Amino acid sequence: MLPVLLLITLFMSFALLLLRRDLRSALLFLAVGSITFFLYTISVYIAKKGGITDFTTFVLYGNNRVRQKLMYQVFTMNRLGFMMAIGRYLSPYFLLLSSLNMAGKLNKSNLIKKGLLLFILPLMGILIYIPQFFETFSSNPTAMGIVVTVTKIWIILYLAMSILMMIIELWGTKLSFFRLRFIMKFMIILSLVMIYGLFFPQDPAQVYLFYRNDYMWMLGLWYLHRGFSSGFNYVVMIGALLSGILSMASLIRYFSITFGEEVAEVKIRREVSSTARGVSMFVHGTKNDLLATRILLDKVKKNYPEDGDIERLSQINASLVTRLEKLNKSLKVNSIRLRPASMMDVIEECKKRVRENFCNYQINVDTEETTKLILADTTFLSEALYNIIQNGIEATLDNKRHDPIEIQVKYGRMWVEIIFSDRGKGIDRKLKKHLWEPFHSSKNSSTNWGIGMYFTRLVIKRHLGSISFTPRRDGGTSFIVMLPLAGEGRK
Amino acid sequence: MKKAIAILLVAVIALTGIFAQGAEEKATTSSLKTLNVAYMPNYASLCSVMAAIETGAFEEEGLKVNLVEFADGPTIIAAMESGSIDIGYIGHGAHKLCINGRASIFAFSHLGNGDAIVGLKSHGVESLADLRGKKVGYSSGTSSENILMLGLKKAGLTMNDITAYEMDASSLTSAMTSGSLDACATWSPSTETMCSQIGSDAVVIARNETFSDETVNIASWIVMPKWAEANHDTLVKFTRALYKGEDFRAKEENMRQVAEWVAKQVAGDVEIQYQTVHGAKWYTEADTINGIKDGSIKALYEVQKLAFGDAVDPTTPVENYVLFDIMLEAAHN
């Protein structure tokens, strides 16, 4: 059972690596891989030595036939012991690197420095446990005792640091969006540490020194430990099984979210690339005609200055030109200039546009006093956020209500979370799937081309942020925008 | 996802319940005292204890035996030391641990002839002398190592004259079958399994009887010294039931039946188990009691002790690690 769970977890981590191709996925894959390898060597050893209950057989092998297969695998004791040592010393190393990376303490720029520094102890462990080398000083029980104890201590320290890093990061993550996501990552690391922690006390030298008189008693067989006998054996094995389930479930969840985001991104990108060129040609052609029409209208206007129809025609022409320019810009947000800016300044700009277009529709802003800044192109960002507010107001009015739009601004350690909440009817299931795609709209309006939310998402992505939405408890929708803070905590 | 996790959790809890219920049933359906007994998956280890279980001898003594399989004697002693096993069976090699005070022998099992050195003809191994320069597998600390040492000594060789590969018993079987080794030292029923799988290419170049002038291949039942002190009566009852099992399996007409019970327990082939029924001198209760009284069993343990050479202290009295009083007290007459 446990190996099956770990193999699924390994497969998921490999799929994640293929999907993301980043340092985090690589480290996670190596951590899961090394633990799976370690557990494999332990399982082979236990299969060969015997002495386990039916329940332990079920947890470790699923059934006795699998155990028999592992039992008859050809290994010399030296090779099996050394393989176990490799798995035993690489697992805490990769677990710690994964944890540091998830906690934002390890990235590509400091990987070599920190990675090499932390690799010293595992490398020493692997070298010392080369059977031929270990046997040279195993004749001195004191020296061997020291090596065995020191090894255990650094492994425990690495595991403790892995957990501690994650707890500190979780503690410092105040924003609910990131907190929920981080809990998932925390669960992956925690469950992997638990699985590894149950078996790491088995010293690999025991495999090749077991029969050399005193070593049998000095190093002991961990899985035959007194504590594992009788009832406690069930507790330990169930713990191992639950940890396996937890790590597999967490990684599957992590993968499915990442996969969903990637698929949505690819879908939108494809849709945009297939339509952008056509839209661009259409916009240029139409805009030229409209500009020519404007010149003609200006001439006609001079001849008939009192004619109201000509004035209305001019206004329609001007509006069409503006909308076409906006459409063109929406599909080409390539150059954004990020500068430190106040989030409140951006929101004030949004409010100003609301006042101009919605006759002072009420906007309630809940925020805290802070000096924290974001990195933003305020023109693009305020336009993007205004789109959310505009949609919120229109949805609320469509719902025959006049509730204010609520804006909550929460500052975390590295991120700011802005929540826009309306009292509209909510987003129907059909639209949810296509909300971010261009030229999709639920509004029955000749002036709406369904480009607003696509533009908003694109601008937020260009600001290295994210946007999501969720229904409100008492009706309506909340849009959650996450943007990175400038300066401290974000290099 | 939540549903999947919930289903998995329910499955785990249900499984735990099933196992726990099984354990509870065992405890509540009878007032028998349960003993965890370690064995090795071969006829020699299991024949008497399986006969005693199947004929109800243990139940008559108020005992319930929970059998736990191990690969070799030293591992059984390690498990007994950890407290997860009460009573265990060991072959010849692990006796040196008893002489060194790690465990006490409370019952004599048999004189074996199941250990062997097997060579592959196609690899040029047909005699002990052919072992020179060859790849030879063995399990250190066990009877396998002992017979290899004796074989090398008889051929005028040492460990330096061969390429030795330290392996467990199951690896030896696989490695010989695949031809990765030229020869190996192993014990029953691996010997029979190998010969059966390899066919005429496998040749037994030495058995215990080859070295009968130098050592004896004794198998015994053991306990931890402290456990023996605290559970004297239980140990006597266990030995008494074991005697009944030994007497049952010693009768020619019961041998096939016992081989079937053993094969069932080890999930192995009946014929392979049955091939080994004449591979040892099986002791009955009467043989053991007579042997103790006339001093022949003590003499066997003395010979065995001396054969271990430097690995043990030859001055250790046999009475220090063999509990003859238990064997005598358990006698029916």
Side-chain angles (χ1 to χ4, degrees), chain B residues 284-304:
Chain B
T284 61
E285 177 185 338
D287 294 334
T288 304
I289 299 304
N290 292 336
I292 294 168
K293 286 179 178 168
D294 66 18
S296 60
I297 286 187
K298 184 182 172 186
L300 288 171
Y301 280 116
E302 287 284 2
V303 172
Q304 180 195 49

Side-chain angles (χ1 to χ4, degrees), chain A residues 263-280 326-333 387 430-442 448-458:
Chain A
V263 166
E265 186 66 36
V266 169
K267 195 178 167 192
I268 291 168
R269 220 179 289 148
R270 274 188 194 157
E271 197 144 326
V272 170
S273 73
S274 63
T275 54
R277 188 173 292 179
V279 169
S280 183
K326 191 175 173 184
L327 172 62
N328 199 30
K329 192 170 71 175
S330 301
L331 293 167
K332 288 184 174 179
V333 187
N387 277 341
K430 199 176 165 189
L431 184 63
K432 272 181 188 174
K433 286 184 182 173
H434 305 289
L435 188 72
W436 309 116
E437 293 171 20
F439 310 112
H440 275 280
S441 176
S442 61
N448 193 307
W449 292 345
I451 203 78
M453 291 315 283
Y454 165 75
F455 172 74
T456 299
R457 182 178 178 276
L458 189 65

Side-chain angles (χ1 to χ4, degrees), chain A residues 48-51 55 58 71-77 210-212 216-217 221 224 226 238 242 245 249 252, chain B residues 1 5 9 12 15-16 19 68-72 74-75 77 81-82 102 140 165-166 168 170-171 174:
Chain A
K48 286 178 180 296
K49 299 299 272 180
F55 187 62
F58 167 72
M71 190 170 117
Y72 282 100
Q73 288 200 342
V74 181
F75 287 112
T76 61
M77 292 313 212
F210 183 74
Y211 300 105
R212 318 277 168 88
M216 193 189 301
W217 322 111
L221 278 173
L224 291 178
R226 192 184 298 270
I238 289 169
L242 287 177
I245 292 170
I252 288 175
Chain B
M1 176 55 63
I5 295 172
L9 284 174
V12 170
L15 280 167
T16 313
F19 279 98
V68 186
E69 185 183 311
F70 283 83
D72 51 55
T75 311
I77 297 177
E81 186 131 303
S82 76
R102 288 291 172 187
S140 70
Y165 289 87
E166 197 181 331
D168 63 287
S170 36
S171 285
S174 305

Side-chain angles (χ1 to χ4, degrees), chain B residues 272-283:
Chain B
I272 287 193
Q273 299 302 330
Y274 190 63
Q275 280 173 31
T276 64
V277 300
H278 296 295
K281 186 185 176 193
W282 308 111
Y283 275 57

Side-chain angles (χ1 to χ4, degrees), chain A residues 9 11 30 41 54 61 81 97 165 167 195 266 306 332 345 354 391 411 429 434 490:
Chain A
T9 310
F11 175 76
L30 288 169
T41 59
D54 290 346
Y61 309 102
L97 291 191
M165 284 295 141
I167 290 173
I195 293 172
V266 169
E306 303 299 322
K332 288 184 174 179
D345 288 348
V354 170
N391 283 347
Y411 291 90
R429 209 171 172 180
H434 305 289
R490 187 100 197 162

